[in-house]
Amino acid sequence: MAETLLPVANPDKLEQGFSSYGAMTSSTKGIPSVLLSDAKHWYRPDIDGLRAVAVLAVIIYHMNESWLPGGFTGVDIFFVISGYVVSGSVLRHSNLSVLDCFVGFYARRAKRIAPTLVTVTVVTGLLMAVMLPAHTSMLSQHFLAGSWGTLGLGNHFLAMQEAGYWDSTVSEDLDPFLHLWSLGVEEQFYLIFPFVTLMAYGTKHSAFHAGGEDTSCALRSVTVWGMGIIASMIAALVLMGYDEKLAFYTLPSRFWELASGALLFDTQPAWSKVLTDTGTHRNTLRGAHLVLQLGAFVLIGFSLTCTSTSGFPAPGAWMPVLGAVFYIMAGVSPQSQLNQFMSRDLIVRMGQISYTLYLWHWPVLCLMSLVHDRGSLAYFASSCAGFTVASVLTYNSVERFFRSWRPQRQSTVFILLSVSLGSSAFLLHKLGSPAVLGRFYLAEVPGDHLGALSGGKLMNGGHGNCECSLPGAGANASSDRACFKYNMDPAILAPDLQDVTYCDARGNDSEARLHECTAPDPNAEHDAMPTLYLFGDSHAGHLVPGLGQAAQGKFHFRWYHRSAKGFEDPAYFVRVRDMLEMQLRPGDVVSVSHAWWVPPLRHGQELHSLVSARHASLLLLGDTWCTEWDVDFNYDFECSPTLFLPKRIIRRSAISRGVR
């Protein structure tokens, strides 16, 4: 993904493009005019067109994998392009000394990758800090993933986690930095690439300028890259049987994909001559061009639409890799209609910003899911608008600026960008640390509101250690220490409470009970006192004494007890919704709490719309923060539950009305 740009002679136009082999030579002899913008500048717009297809495929897959089941293979296409491009980046400077060539290569890579990466990770981290509460599942891990990803090690961090890539893209606990794994693979490839090139060409790497006439040098290059590809494919197959996450995320099993692009470039003097040789029989040339175009179209198309998630990267990635190779080979000829089509202006422009699009799309999709239901029209529209605008702004204000930056000393590049990357990684690490996590969450309800609601006793009852429980709570515990209550009846939880209605919708007859206690109250509309509703599971039981006490004389308190599935059960939500539509009144408060519940609340948007339309309030209460627990229910809780806004659009004023 990082290889969207390749520096060439004209920084304002051609760095966003792609250098063909002809650009590396001292003349344009034998290079088709389709690859040339003029005698000094070389650019293949069809490569940017392929980038556009790859990044769009990944975006569509991340938005809804059923739309393009194999969209994730866009990353494999990027890997081939990157290997092809960086070969040109090194070899077009092969007239320099080895040291100058290497230093220049790393400086160019740093300028292309680091500024945009720092911008995206810092902005994403700050938005996470203000939009997500501390108790959001895996939040600290997500910050840590961003820290590692900023340093180019995101793939190794993810390989050590329990969940694999396929689990992480569909999880409710979306990691905004998940996509940095592929950037880590590419960066690690760039680190070793100059040394592999040195092995292939030795100190005579300038032989490439001879247009491939040095046969021994060409054979050496093919041998080195070929052996690397074979070794990498073997490593991928072995790792697939040992640990699929390691195989998916790490460079040894992905090296062959990038090396395929590098080998393609190194051998271009030979195969491009064959494909553009006017002395070859016309029908033979047409047949070769047709095979390459058809092969590219079928292989890439099949990969994007029909690929299974099993067997990646080996052998599953061979189709998109081979399709990308065929496409690049076909593009050396002006007769390739496929490549000509992919060179259209709109497609090319999208390819030129593919790096920023790739970096922005996933964080925006993750953060927009805090505002809209995933799968809703509002979610897709706002996400597309968000990452498109962010990509265009970043490309024009950050990427192009650093692309044209030409410091007198290369050390300036390394110092500035190293400090920027290190500082960004440190910032993300600190945001995820226990001392800072959740402190910048803008939607947190102030402590005085929490105290006013609970009377300081929100923990009393169902869960928590005995020091946090009401007198006598231990009588219903499973041990002397544990205060896990299986009977959530307020008469037992808090016998002193008055005006409390309990609906127990569990057990074999839960449907009958649910129907009974969700039947609208015919007297509700004539009652002047508002109602406080609590919907939750057994973990919500620890809120009953505190909420019930706060409601005394101010609210009717109705406690609806359902198993942990809660609103994940559509039938249950429909019953609750119908009941609320019938009897919810201005001033009522609807509160929800479930075990280990974190945003997003299922059906939250619909529930919020209903509550807002009735001028009532919606209150979401987090589960207790459990630091230790075992199979004997010996809990050690911090005695302070988290009260936070839903992931969606609940306003602070709505919460304030509910806690007065």
Side-chain angles (χ1 to χ4, degrees):
M1 264 55 65
E3 275 302 335
T4 299
L5 306 179
L6 177 67
V8 291
N10 185 338
D12 291 327
K13 176 183 178 182
L14 297 173
E15 281 190 4
Q16 61 211 7
F18 179 83
S19 297
S20 69
Y21 162 70
M24 308 304 123
T25 63
S26 56
S27 70
T28 62
K29 182 179 179 180
I31 304 300
S33 59
V34 71
L35 303 183
L36 304 174
S37 59
D38 57 46
K40 296 181 180 180
H41 302 146
W42 334 277
Y43 175 51
R44 279 190 60 176
D46 62 314
I47 297 294
D48 272 334
L50 184 59
R51 285 196 184 98
V53 170
V55 75
L56 278 177
V58 175
I59 291 173
I60 293 172
Y61 176 79
H62 283 161
M63 293 181 76
N64 189 325
E65 63 181 49
S66 64
W67 292 351
L68 199 63
F72 62 90
T73 59
V75 171
D76 302 286
I77 296 172
F78 269 118
F79 284 160
V80 177
I81 296 175
S82 295
Y84 186 63
V85 169
V86 294
S87 288
S89 182
V90 169
L91 295 174
R92 82 181 186 88
H93 293 88
S94 55
N95 57 319
L96 304 175
S97 68
V98 172
L99 178 61
D100 289 341
C101 185
F102 279 26
V103 171
F105 173 79
Y106 289 131
R108 290 192 301 275
R109 293 306 94 219
K111 287 196 298 180
R112 298 306 174 269
I113 296 171
T116 302
L117 177 61
V118 168
T119 301
V120 173
T121 54
V122 169
V123 172
T124 300
L126 293 176
L127 288 174
M128 289 170 62
V130 301
M131 295 178 71
L132 290 169
H135 287 186
T136 300
S137 178
M138 303 294 291
L139 182 58
S140 61
Q141 288 292 98
H142 295 341
F143 278 117
L144 195 57
S147 181
W148 282 57
T150 303
L151 298 177
L153 298 171
N155 57 327
H156 289 286
F157 177 84
L158 292 170
M160 294 185 292
Q161 305 308 304
E162 181 177 352
Y165 176 79
W166 318 113
D167 302 318
S168 302
T169 55
V170 298
S171 169
E172 291 292 348
D173 306 320
L174 296 177
D175 178 5
F177 301 109
L178 173 69
H179 65 319
L180 296 184
W181 75 268
S182 61
L183 187 60
V185 171
E186 291 194 12
E187 290 176 339
Q188 292 151 31
F189 178 79
Y190 300 154
L191 285 176
I192 66 173
F193 177 80
F195 298 97
V196 179
T197 302
L198 186 62
M199 292 174 59
Y201 286 96
T203 57
K204 296 181 180 180
H205 60 298
S206 60
F208 193 86
H209 276 281
E213 296 175 3
D214 190 332
T215 305
S216 63
C217 195
L219 288 175
R220 185 174 176 179
S221 172
V222 172
T223 301
V224 170
W225 285 115
M227 291 178 62
I229 290 172
I230 294 172
S232 176
M233 294 190 74
I234 293 174
L237 291 171
V238 171
L239 284 174
M240 285 294 295
Y242 172 71
D243 188 330
E244 290 190 6
K245 293 196 302 295
L246 281 176
F248 187 90
Y249 284 123
T250 56
L251 178 62
S253 54
R254 292 285 186 172
F255 178 86
W256 68 275
E257 300 183 51
L258 294 113
S260 297
L263 178 61
L264 183 65
F265 185 90
D266 282 9
T267 57
Q268 183 162 318
W271 57 261
S272 65
K273 183 177 180 180
V274 173
L275 293 174
T276 57
D277 188 358
T278 55
T280 305
H281 193 278
R282 187 174 182 180
N283 289 336
T284 303
L285 276 181
R286 283 183 176 179
H289 297 154
L290 180 62
V291 168
L292 289 174
Q293 292 177 72
L294 186 60
F297 181 82
V298 171
L299 289 172
I300 293 176
F302 186 82
S303 299
L304 296 180
T305 57
C306 303
T307 303
S308 169
T309 58
S310 61
F312 270 83
W318 74 267
M319 279 197 299
V321 169
L322 188 58
V325 168
F326 281 2
Y327 178 91
I328 293 172
M329 292 179 68
V332 301
S333 170
Q335 299 179 31
S336 175
Q337 296 181 350
L338 175 62
N339 296 68
Q340 289 177 3
F341 176 82
M342 295 299 292
S343 300
R344 293 174 181 266
D345 186 63
L346 181 62
I347 302 175
V348 170
R349 289 182 183 276
M350 186 172 297
Q352 290 169 353
I353 64 170
S354 59
Y355 177 45
T356 51
L357 267 175
Y358 181 82
L359 286 186
W360 273 118
H361 87 279
W362 183 244
V364 171
L365 286 172
C366 293
L367 295 176
M368 280 299 177
S369 70
L370 307 181
V371 181
H372 303 290
D373 287 317
R374 292 181 71 186
S376 67
L377 179 61
Y379 170 71
F380 294 129
S382 58
S383 296
C384 289
F387 60 66
T388 300
V389 171
S391 299
V392 172
L393 290 177
T394 305
Y395 174 75
N396 286 294
S397 61
V398 177
E399 195 167 329
R400 293 186 65 184
F401 172 79
F402 280 94
R403 187 176 70 239
S404 60
W405 180 39
R406 300 290 185 270
Q408 293 183 347
R409 304 184 61 165
Q410 299 283 24
S411 59
T412 305
V413 176
F414 294 113
I415 293 173
L416 176 62
L417 297 182
S418 296
V419 170
S420 299
L421 289 169
S423 299
S424 302
F426 178 76
L427 172 64
L428 293 172
H429 178 74
K430 291 299 292 182
L431 288 174
S433 65
V436 180
L437 192 68
R439 287 201 171 191
F440 300 102
Y441 178 51
L442 294 182
E444 190 71 62
V445 175
D448 56 342
H449 285 175
L450 179 62
L453 173 65
S454 66
K457 298 180 180 179
L458 273 179
M459 279 295 298
N460 295 343
H463 294 284
N465 60 41
C466 293
E467 294 178 359
C468 296
S469 300
L470 289 174
N476 294 285
S478 58
S479 72
D480 291 340
R481 268 193 86 239
C483 299
F484 187 99
K485 287 185 175 296
Y486 293 94
N487 193 329
M488 295 288 108
D489 192 329
I492 296 177
L493 284 176
D496 295 333
L497 293 182
Q498 303 295 323
D499 195 13
V500 178
T501 302
Y502 176 50
C503 172
D504 184 2
R506 300 173 298 161
N508 295 329
D509 58 342
S510 60
E511 285 302 315
R513 295 191 217 172
L514 184 59
H515 183 272
E516 179 181 350
C517 61
T518 55
D521 182 359
N523 300 317
E525 60 179 309
H526 305 295
D527 197 331
M529 184 179 292
T531 301
L532 170 61
Y533 300 88
L534 173 62
F535 298 96
D537 58 3
S538 61
H539 285 236
H542 69 273
L543 303 172
V544 170
L547 286 175
Q549 182 176 338
Q552 293 296 286
K554 303 175 184 177
F555 294 90
H556 299 297
F557 185 27
R558 294 192 172 190
W559 158 219
Y560 295 85
H561 184 196
R562 184 73 164 173
S563 61
K565 196 173 182 182
F567 286 168
E568 295 291 326
D569 179 359
Y572 176 54
F573 177 76
V574 168
R575 290 180 182 274
V576 170
R577 181 199 62 195
D578 292 345
M579 178 192 71
L580 293 177
E581 284 180 343
M582 290 290 293
Q583 66 185 43
L584 197 63
R585 300 167 302 158
D588 287 351
V589 177
V590 177
S591 56
V592 183
S593 179
H594 286 285
W596 317 119
W597 174 80
V598 293
L601 173 65
R602 186 70 179 268
H603 304 294
Q605 184 70 48
E606 187 175 356
L607 183 60
H608 173 260
S609 299
L610 170 61
V611 170
S612 298
R614 299 297 192 278
H615 301 286
S617 300
L618 181 58
L619 182 65
L620 299 193
L621 296 146
D623 188 31
T624 49
W625 182 267
C626 180
T627 55
E628 294 182 17
W629 64 303
D630 57 35
V631 295
D632 295 323
F633 296 110
N634 291 322
Y635 288 84
D636 180 15
F637 284 104
E638 295 178 8
C639 298
S640 55
T642 300
L643 178 64
F644 53 88
L645 296 178
K647 210 174 167 182
R648 318 223 181 277
I649 50 179
I650 314 303
R651 299 167 297 172
R652 182 182 298 274
S653 59
I655 294 294
S656 300
R657 289 199 302 272
V659 299
R660 281 212 266 292

